[in-house]
């Protein structure tokens, strides 16, 4: 079996090649820059491939996304049709997202940005907030990551809601589904967490019309994909007070350009797409296991549904 590896914007290709080669004895693992005969390539392991990169391999059996989302693969307009896309998911990724969401929801819940501002001014300003059961938080997307995040928030005692495409049942979480459930989900949701996949249906969902359905001074956490958010609408909602604070982990352009207004906005916390970056060793083992399974059986648990976009 032969696999090519490619992370064009990350400059980590060679590291992944060596690590996967060590986990796949008997396989040939190479960089996509030096693939040998393209017809001999069975699998491509990629993060943000460039348009046309994958079309050069006529016999690809599957494409592996180094990450949970497959939007970066589907963005390739010349993507070979019908080749299965395997996501990289696992308890490591889920745990990291639980931690990130808990941290930032608690931070907004306890109004830490204002508390830290008071400290900077040597101001003994006690901010007393409602207890968690009197705080309504909502998670958009109830897949691997969203469901785990919602369960974590419910475990902390928050009045927790979730929204997904199809109806879910999650202990301690009030679940809403579909476009018909969205307004009720948003109504009264004081801290909103986005964990949707990026698809044609969800692109730009975090926009003025959605912010207007949240209670005034809601907080927004986007840890899914940058293009879910309409940047100008968030800035206007922050300026107008409809949104009180935002935490953003993902952006239209990454790295976020140095002159982007988000960097220095006093109501925005920026993190550099670290909410749940899989540990490379763990990720490598998951990818190697999926490749071995797929090579043997023609499928594996983590094959995404490319037609629906996630
Ligand atoms: P999943 O594919 O497991 O779940 C997606 C969820 O979103 C499902 O519950 C699905 O509903 C729901 N959904 C999809 N489309 C819609 C829609 N139009 N309306 C309502 N709900 C919808 O994804 P994961 O939980 O694994 O990951 C979510 C996203 O998180 C990834 O796509 C990626 O973009 C992002 N991510 C960010 C990371 C970071 O570090 N910032 C790290 C890893 C991932 P249903 O179940 O009914 O199909």
């Amino acid at each position: 079996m032969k696999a090519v590896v490619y992370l064009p914007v990350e400059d980590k290709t060679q590291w992944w090649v060596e690590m996967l080669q060590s986990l796949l004895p008997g396989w040939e693992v190479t960089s996509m820059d030096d693939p040998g005969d393209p017809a001999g390539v069975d699998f491509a392991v990629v993060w943000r491939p460039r348009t046309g990169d994958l079309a050069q391999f006529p016999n690809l059996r599957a494409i592996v996304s180094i990450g949970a989302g497959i939007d970066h693969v589907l963005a390739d307009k010349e993507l070979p049709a019908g080749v299965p896309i395997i996501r990289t998911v696992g308890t490591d990724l889920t745990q990291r997202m639980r931690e990130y969401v808990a941290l930032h929801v608690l931070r907004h819940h306890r109004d830490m940005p204002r508390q830290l501002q008071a400290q900077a001014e040597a101001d003994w300003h006690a901010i007393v907030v409602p207890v968690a059961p009197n705080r309504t938080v909502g998670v958009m997307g109830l897949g691997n990551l969203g469901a785990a995040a919602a369960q974590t928030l419910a475990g902390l005692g928050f009045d927790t809601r979730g929204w997904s495409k199809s109806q879910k049942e999650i202990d301690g979480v009030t679940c809403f589904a579909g476009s018909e459930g969205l307004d009720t989900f948003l109504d009264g949701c004081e801290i909103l967490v986005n964990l949707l996949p990026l698809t044609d249906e969800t692109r730009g969902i975090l926009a003025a019309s959605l912010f207007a359905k949240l209670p005034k001074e809601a907080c927004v956490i986007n840890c899914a994909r940058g293009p879910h958010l309409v940047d100008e609408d968030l800035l206007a909602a922050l300026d107008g007070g409809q949104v009180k604070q935002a935490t953003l982990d993902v952006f239209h352009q990454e790295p976020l350009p140095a002159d982007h207004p988000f960097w220095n906005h006093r109501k925005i916390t920026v993190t550099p797409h670290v909410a749940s970056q899989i540990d490379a060793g763990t990720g490598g083992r998951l990818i190697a296991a999926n490749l071995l399974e797929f090579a043997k059986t023609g499928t594996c648990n983590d094959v995404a549904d490319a037609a629906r976009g996630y």
Side-chain angles (χ1 to χ4, degrees), residues 87 142-145 164-166 168 197 201 223 249 276 310:
R87 312 198 299 144
L142 294 173
N144 285 323
L145 300 177
S164 54
K165 198 161 184 166
S166 57
K168 309 282 179 218
E201 286 178 9
C223 40
D249 185 54
S276 184
Y310 61 100

Side-chain angles (χ1 to χ4, degrees), residues 12-161:
K12 289 183 193 154
T13 301
Q14 196 50 36
W15 188 91
W16 278 88
V17 166
E18 287 166 23
M19 197 253 304
L20 285 174
Q21 184 65 81
S22 72
L23 294 166
L24 294 166
W27 286 47
E28 186 185 350
V29 183
T30 67
S31 156
M32 199 180 287
D33 292 328
D34 184 20
D37 176 11
V41 172
D42 302 289
F43 297 99
V45 180
V46 295
W47 177 250
R48 295 186 187 165
R50 287 187 288 239
T51 293
D53 280 340
L54 296 162
Q56 62 181 300
F57 305 114
N59 298 319
L60 269 188
R61 295 179 63 185
I63 298 161
V64 178
S65 161
I66 306 176
I70 63 165
D71 50 293
H72 64 106
V73 179
L74 295 176
D76 177 351
K77 297 296 172 221
E78 295 169 26
L79 191 68
V83 179
I85 303 173
I86 302 171
R87 312 198 299 144
T88 303
V89 292
T91 51
D92 179 288
L93 209 70
T94 310
Q95 177 62 28
R96 287 170 195 274
M97 192 57 85
R98 283 180 192 272
E99 294 170 13
Y100 185 92
V101 170
L103 169 67
H104 289 281
V105 166
L106 282 168
R107 198 169 144 270
H108 290 303
H109 168 59
R110 286 298 190 108
D111 212 349
M112 277 309 287
R114 210 166 115 223
Q115 196 70 78
L116 291 171
Q117 181 62 35
Q119 180 183 350
E121 294 161 7
D123 177 14
W124 187 266
H125 177 65
I127 298 169
V128 180
V129 302
V131 288
N134 294 333
R135 178 78 79 193
T136 303
V137 302
V139 180
M140 302 173 81
L142 294 173
N144 285 323
L145 300 177
Q151 281 167 326
T152 301
L153 296 173
L156 286 168
F158 286 104
D159 172 20
T160 308
R161 301 172 176 180

Side-chain angles (χ1 to χ4, degrees), residues 75-296:
D76 177 351
K77 297 296 172 221
E78 295 169 26
L79 191 68
V83 179
I85 303 173
I86 302 171
R87 312 198 299 144
T88 303
V89 292
T91 51
D92 179 288
L93 209 70
T94 310
Q95 177 62 28
R96 287 170 195 274
M97 192 57 85
R98 283 180 192 272
E99 294 170 13
Y100 185 92
V101 170
L103 169 67
H104 289 281
V105 166
L106 282 168
R107 198 169 144 270
H108 290 303
H109 168 59
R110 286 298 190 108
D111 212 349
M112 277 309 287
R114 210 166 115 223
Q115 196 70 78
L116 291 171
Q117 181 62 35
Q119 180 183 350
E121 294 161 7
D123 177 14
W124 187 266
H125 177 65
I127 298 169
V128 180
V129 302
V131 288
N134 294 333
R135 178 78 79 193
T136 303
V137 302
V139 180
M140 302 173 81
L142 294 173
N144 285 323
L145 300 177
Q151 281 167 326
T152 301
L153 296 173
L156 286 168
F158 286 104
D159 172 20
T160 308
R161 301 172 176 180
W163 181 67
S164 54
K165 198 161 184 166
S166 57
Q167 187 65 41
K168 309 282 179 218
E169 277 188 29
I170 302 173
D171 262 1
V173 180
T174 309
C175 295
F176 300 85
S179 47
E180 61 286 4
L182 182 59
D183 286 6
T184 323
F185 164 80
L186 294 171
D187 186 22
C189 181
E190 298 169 272
I191 304 175
L192 180 71
V193 179
N194 176 35
L195 273 169
L196 289 166
L198 183 63
T199 66
D200 290 345
E201 286 178 9
T202 65
R203 186 179 302 274
I205 193 168
L206 300 177
S209 53
L210 180 144
F211 299 144
K213 291 173 184 163
L214 296 169
K216 200 161 174 62
E217 297 214 318
C219 295
V220 174
I221 300 171
N222 185 19
C223 40
R225 286 291 183 262
H228 282 130
L229 176 68
V230 181
D231 290 4
E232 312 78 59
D233 287 9
L234 177 66
L235 291 169
L238 288 165
D239 287 348
Q242 178 61 22
V243 174
K244 181 175 165 188
Q245 293 274 339
T247 297
L248 306 175
D249 185 54
V250 286
F251 305 91
H252 284 260
Q253 189 183 339
E254 295 180 8
L256 184 64
D259 60 353
H260 197 287
F262 286 169
W263 277 118
N264 297 314
H265 199 294
R266 67 189 170 85
K267 296 182 178 176
I268 295 179
T269 300
V270 167
T271 56
H273 202 143
V274 289
S276 184
Q277 276 218 0
I278 200 157
D279 158 66
T282 310
R285 283 190 291 279
L286 287 168
I287 289 170
N290 275 338
L291 286 171
L292 288 168
E293 178 71 16
F294 198 100
K296 195 167 147 198

